[in-house]
Amino acid sequence: DAGVIQSPRHEVTEMGQEVTLRCKPISGHNSLFWYRQTMMRGLELLIYFNNNVPIDDSGMPEDRFSAKMPNASFSTLKIQPSEPRDSAVYFCASSFSPGYTFGSGTRLTVV
Amino acid sequence: QKEVEQDPGPLSVPEGAIVSLNCTYSNSAFQYFMWYRQYSRKGPELLMYTYSSGNKEDGRFTAQVDKSSKYISLFIRDSQPSDSATYLCAMSDASSNTGKLIFGQGTTLQVKP
């Protein structure tokens, strides 16, 4: 199994631009999680899905953030418009039972 | 107060030392306890997984859970430079069938040769 696959690995964008992060979970895992990691705040849960249905999006910081999971093998996290304070590493993780498998993350820099 | 508290360190030890990493938590409903290891510029990887109280050993690593004190520990024996990483505790309650985890801040460990 290739594990959780995230793309792109790095993204540099200008303030105000739309950013789309992508995730392919492990086949058979029924839960998918989006996290953001910064030095100051650590790992923050943004949103998670169970069986492709959003369960809890209370961690999404603002309406500028949105996430979708159109099918069991794909999810996106979109930021529109992006701001410098969105700069962080964004992780996707999938799970079949307690315990996640994380992707390698997308390092986002908004200038 | 955060649900899970973890001293961010950094913690620096000589090679061969015994390392103790700890977390405290406030939610008595937590039943699943995990430790993740994260190398620089990598995603966290599951290291140890414990259900409810007790100890679990895996090679040089031992995880302990004391639910009465709401305190969990990870011990690393004969620490190696390759153990240098950030260690994150994580936990969830048994009612969460989606497996939602609450993470600690992470402790950065450096093992010096």
Side-chain angles (χ1 to χ4, degrees), chain A:
Chain A
D1 196 326
V4 176
I5 300 172
Q6 290 187 248
S7 63
R9 288 298 307 275
H10 303 273
E11 177 80 34
V12 180
T13 190
E14 291 185 349
M15 182 173 63
Q17 295 299 305
E18 178 179 296
V19 175
T20 300
L21 311 180
R22 296 173 176 79
C23 176
K24 176 178 170 53
I26 291 174
S27 177
H29 283 192
N30 60 348
S31 296
L32 183 140
F33 305 81
W34 282 100
Y35 279 84
R36 178 171 67 178
Q37 187 176 41
T38 61
M39 288 290 292
M40 291 295 294
R41 301 172 70 92
L43 267 172
E44 299 176 279
L45 178 63
L46 301 177
I47 184 171
Y48 70 98
F49 297 83
N50 185 239
N51 294 323
N52 312 338
V53 176
I55 302 299
D56 183 353
D57 65 355
S58 60
M60 298 286 260
E62 300 169 33
D63 291 345
R64 299 184 297 107
F65 285 69
S66 63
K68 293 181 180 180
M69 192 165 185
N71 56 62
S73 59
F74 185 65
S75 177
T76 60
L77 178 67
K78 186 176 293 187
I79 308 172
Q80 165 63 17
S82 57
E83 296 183 3
R85 59 194 167 115
D86 301 331
S87 297
V89 181
Y90 290 80
F91 287 104
C92 174
S94 70
S95 171
F96 180 71
S97 62
Y100 301 166
T101 301
F102 281 85
S104 297
T106 295
R107 184 172 296 273
L108 174 64
T109 304
V110 183
V111 298

